[in-house]
Amino acid sequence: MKAILVREFGGPEVLKLEDVPTPKPAAGQALVRIHAAGVNPYDTYMRAGAYAQKPKLPYTPGSDGAGVIDAVGEGVKKVKPGDRVYTAQTLSGAYAEYTLVLEEHVHSLPATIDFRQGAGIWVPYGTAYHALYHAANAHASETVLVHGASGGVGSAAVQIAHAMGLTVFGTAGTPKGLELAKREGAHQVFDHRKAGYQEEILRATGNRGVDIILEMLANVNLPHDTKLLANHGRVIVIGNRGEVTINPRELMARRASIRAFTLWGITPTEEADVHAGLIAGLENGTLRPVVGKELPLAEAARAHKEILEPGAAGKVVLIC
Ligand code: NAP
């Protein structure tokens, strides 16, 4: 089969398309014929060797894929050959024509969701769902600011929060991203490249502040976020690319908090919650993964370069 291999940590150019043996599922595993693989920012940090988890070299990147079950190992009951599925973590990497997955990490893909969309479920929607339900304990009567609403996690968060009944504010850095955030359910949108946009957000709440901020770039925004919160507000740190200084007094005055997580630390109970909620939302049409860019598997290096550039518009996926 064809697969992307990383033989050394480095820039996007270390992602090489190679011919490798097709794996065989052992007991408790399924082999999935991957039709599309989701590209997530963490894939780029891992490839650079800069992520907390360092895979053993060589490795094939990718946790998020969608396709059809090709074969199952002994004892597998949840899926059978021919089933349409999405993956949430893989054993052998999703940037490939076939990938091995533990039975518990493969989930039924609703008939209305195509493979390209299915490649954008686990990390973006799982993160957005976990952030709103588990980390923020969001309530329908609250206001959420999705700080970075044009990308994979942000567009998912806008759809989920809208469906939960929250008042949703979203930010983006381009007209296309602002349009996307509005279309996917943000009640008001703000340009995070425009000077003074934070004051516009505060005014839009009648100077009360927002209850929840889902933060995609904490190292840039956290000091301002603490001033945008309402009493008992919560910032949920999802994305961060550096260090930052804040004034804790802003939190004290509001009895506010900053919470943070990585999706990898999710408990089995939370994970079951996430998939049940997401599959229901995908089936009833409230959740509709937005594919912004699709590239052939061979262009994984280009995908890794472009996902870190400004101007997000939904998910970047590789067609395998
Ligand atoms: P993405 O699709 O590349 O989107 C990046 C988003 O960040 C875009 O909406 C972009 O907006 C926005 N952004 C750029 N500059 C910003 C600024 N100054 N203020 C606010 N937002 C800004 O990435 P993603 O998949 O959504 O992931 C977002 C971040 O969360 C990444 O850093 C990723 O590593 C992290 N993440 C963490 C977890 C976790 O477990 N904690 C899980 C998934 C993702 P424009 O392009 O429109 O400017």
Side-chain angles (χ1 to χ4, degrees):
M1 68 167 185
K2 300 270 183 217
I4 295 292
L5 275 198
V6 174
R7 293 187 176 278
E8 56 178 330
F9 296 119
E13 69 285 352
V14 302
L15 298 165
K16 296 271 187 345
L17 188 69
E18 298 197 21
D19 286 304
V20 300
T22 305
K24 289 196 175 25
Q29 301 176 358
L31 181 70
V32 184
R33 169 68 179 97
I34 294 290
H35 288 284
V39 177
N40 289 298
Y42 93 87
D43 298 341
T44 72
Y45 321 148
M46 198 175 257
R47 182 217 67 228
Y51 199 58
Q53 292 180 5
K54 263 198 184 176
K56 205 165 142 272
L57 295 170
Y59 80 100
T60 295
S63 52
D64 298 10
V68 176
I69 297 287
D70 185 78
V72 296
E74 208 185 307
V76 171
K77 294 206 171 51
K78 187 173 167 185
V79 289
K80 59 180 188 320
D83 286 357
R84 298 171 82 252
V85 294
Y86 70 91
T87 66
Q89 294 185 43
T90 69
L91 294 167
S92 60
Y95 291 18
E97 288 177 328
Y98 292 84
T99 193
L100 278 182
V101 189
L102 288 176
E103 181 178 17
E104 59 262 40
H105 290 146
V106 76
H107 300 273
S108 172
L109 185 66
T112 48
I113 304 298
D114 67 31
F115 293 127
R116 302 164 320 133
Q117 292 176 299
I121 296 177
W122 169 235
V123 168
Y125 277 84
T127 299
Y129 193 99
H130 186 50
L132 284 161
Y133 278 94
H134 301 137
N137 189 21
H139 290 268
S141 57
E142 295 187 306
T143 298
V144 61
L145 168 65
V146 181
H147 216 165
S150 48
V153 177
S155 56
V158 166
Q159 291 176 3
I160 297 169
H162 185 104
M164 290 170 79
L166 279 89
T167 299
V168 184
F169 293 171
T171 77
T174 62
K176 193 176 171 189
L178 290 165
E179 208 274 319
L180 184 150
K182 188 111 204 187
R183 188 186 71 222
E184 297 309 324
H187 298 96
Q188 291 193 56
V189 293
F190 304 87
D191 181 350
H192 55 227
R193 300 207 193 290
K194 190 174 154 195
Y197 76 97
Q198 295 95 340
E199 284 68 36
E200 283 178 31
I201 293 172
L202 204 52
R203 273 200 300 279
T205 68
N207 291 321
R208 176 185 167 275
V210 295
D211 299 296
I212 300 164
I213 300 177
L214 302 190
E215 184 50 71
M216 305 303 155
L217 199 56
N219 54 302
V220 170
N221 295 321
L222 209 49
H224 262 293
D225 287 349
T226 60
K227 298 179 191 161
L228 279 181
L229 288 175
N231 286 342
H232 301 281
R234 298 83 86 193
V235 180
I236 312 300
V237 176
I238 295 174
N240 179 60
R241 293 184 180 161
E243 294 187 3
V244 66
T245 301
I246 61 158
N247 182 353
R249 194 157 290 282
E250 302 288 351
L251 298 172
M252 293 157 71
R254 295 169 175 79
R255 295 181 169 257
S257 54
I258 299 172
R259 306 174 188 177
F261 67 84
T262 66
L263 192 60
W264 308 116
I266 195 167
T267 67
T269 309
E270 289 170 336
E271 193 171 342
D273 231 17
V274 167
H275 289 292
L278 293 184
I279 290 172
L282 292 164
E283 280 174 351
N284 70 25
T286 48
L287 307 185
R288 310 158 303 274
V290 178
V291 177
K293 187 177 289 178
E294 44 189 293
L295 293 169
L297 181 60
E299 291 193 39
R302 181 177 154 203
H304 270 216
K305 188 173 159 287
E306 291 182 0
I307 196 168
L308 295 184
E309 291 169 355
K315 276 304 298 176
V316 178
V317 302
L318 296 170
I319 307 301
C320 305

